[in-house]
Amino acid sequence: DAGVTQTPRHEVAEKGQTIILKCEPVSGHNDLFWYRQTKIQGLELLSYFRSKSLMEDGGAFKDRFKAEMLNSSFSTLKIQPTEPKDSAVYLCASSHWGLQDTQYFGPGTRLLVL
Amino acid sequence: DAKTTQPDSMESTEGETVHLPCSHATISGNEYIYWYRQVPLQGPEYVTHGLQQNTTNSMAFLAIASDRKSSTLILTHVSLRDAAVYHCILRVAGGNTGYQNFYFGKGTSLTVIP
């Protein structure tokens, strides 16, 4: 079975640019999560979808971060406009409904904003 | 806030059995004990979880103290691929609990010597 896939694996952006990160969850999973991981803050939730419906939208990130789930097998995270403080690893995870704590994570996208 | 305490680092030799301890003295009755691990440039990987009884799967054996205030993740016949940071976290499991943040503390960095 294919795990969670994320593209691109690495992204370099100039301040003010728009970038779009992509995620394909594990087939059959109902829940999808976007996180940002940094050494200082650890894992921060950006968005949480259940069966394509947005359930949780990390308050502090609403401004410039927008996650969408157009179908059950594909999600995007748009950051617009990017700022240097957005440099981090962005992780996507998915799980079965009812087993949301057993999350399967993708490899992440390492974003560097100059 | 981290509700778990783990040693910063441990070392083992290939082929040996390693015991990774975790202390969670203030665990609530409805909290499960989850273990995830993470290697550089990869997302966290689910290892195992349990509530009260010891559990085993292809990756590890989880021993939970009778008072649930501590647990030990036991890895048998460790290989170089088991070298990672292991995180012990508490979460209320179940499909209707809504989203809970992951708090990944420093975890235990396991070094495996060839």
Side-chain angles (χ1 to χ4, degrees):
Chain A
D1 282 343
V4 175
T5 59
Q6 290 186 250
T7 54
R9 292 294 309 275
H10 303 270
E11 179 79 63
V12 180
E14 301 262 342
K15 178 183 172 181
Q17 268 187 289
T18 295
I19 60 119
I20 297 177
L21 310 181
K22 304 179 184 75
C23 173
E24 294 176 35
V26 173
S27 177
H29 280 186
N30 311 99
D31 288 353
L32 184 138
F33 307 83
W34 281 100
Y35 297 92
R36 181 170 77 175
Q37 186 174 36
T38 60
K39 284 188 178 173
I40 296 171
Q41 299 290 339
L43 223 56
E44 301 172 280
L45 176 69
L46 301 175
S47 291
Y48 160 39
F49 293 88
R50 167 158 293 173
S51 299
K52 300 187 295 178
S53 297
L54 183 64
M55 305 296 290
E56 190 86 24
D57 188 354
F61 299 97
K62 277 183 183 172
D63 261 12
R64 301 178 294 106
F65 292 73
K66 185 178 170 106
E68 289 186 313
M69 195 155 186
L70 301 176
N71 60 56
S72 59
S73 58
F74 185 70
S75 176
T76 58
L77 175 67
K78 181 194 287 189
I79 308 176
Q80 177 184 37
T82 51
E83 296 181 7
K85 65 180 179 181
D86 298 333
S87 298
V89 176
Y90 290 82
L91 292 164
C92 177
S94 69
S95 67
H96 279 295
W97 181 84
L99 294 171
Q100 62 172 234
D101 300 290
T102 307
Q103 296 187 19
Y104 294 84
F105 286 81
T109 295
R110 300 183 86 82
L111 172 65
L112 176 62
V113 182
L114 305 174
Chain B
D1 286 335
K3 291 184 66 176
T4 63
T5 303
Q6 299 176 253
D8 286 345
S9 63
M10 293 187 68
E11 200 173 86
S12 181
T13 304
E14 264 194 304
E16 287 187 343
T17 294
V18 64
H19 293 67
L20 303 175
C22 182
S23 171
H24 28 81
T26 60
I27 189 170
S28 301
N30 61 352
E31 285 182 314
Y32 284 67
I33 302 152
Y34 275 78
W35 285 81
Y36 278 79
R37 69 183 185 183
Q38 189 170 19
V39 298
L41 304 180
Q42 291 292 328
E45 178 185 22
Y46 167 80
V47 177
T48 189
H49 75 284
L51 181 65
Q52 199 154 17
Q53 306 296 323
N54 296 339
T55 63
T56 188
N57 63 20
S58 60
M59 292 182 75
F61 179 84
L62 177 60
I64 301 173
S66 55
D67 63 5
R68 301 210 323 128
K69 293 186 177 182
S70 66
S71 60
T72 303
L73 186 72
I74 301 169
L75 307 175
T76 58
H77 306 293
V78 293
S79 70
L80 297 177
R81 290 180 62 248
D82 293 316
V85 177
Y86 286 78
H87 299 279
C88 166
I89 57 177
L90 306 181
R91 291 171 68 78
V92 177
N96 294 320
T97 57
Y99 179 77
Q100 310 156 63
N101 276 312
F102 265 109
Y103 179 80
F104 277 17
K106 289 185 181 177
T108 296
S109 178
L110 175 65
T111 300
V112 179
I113 301 167

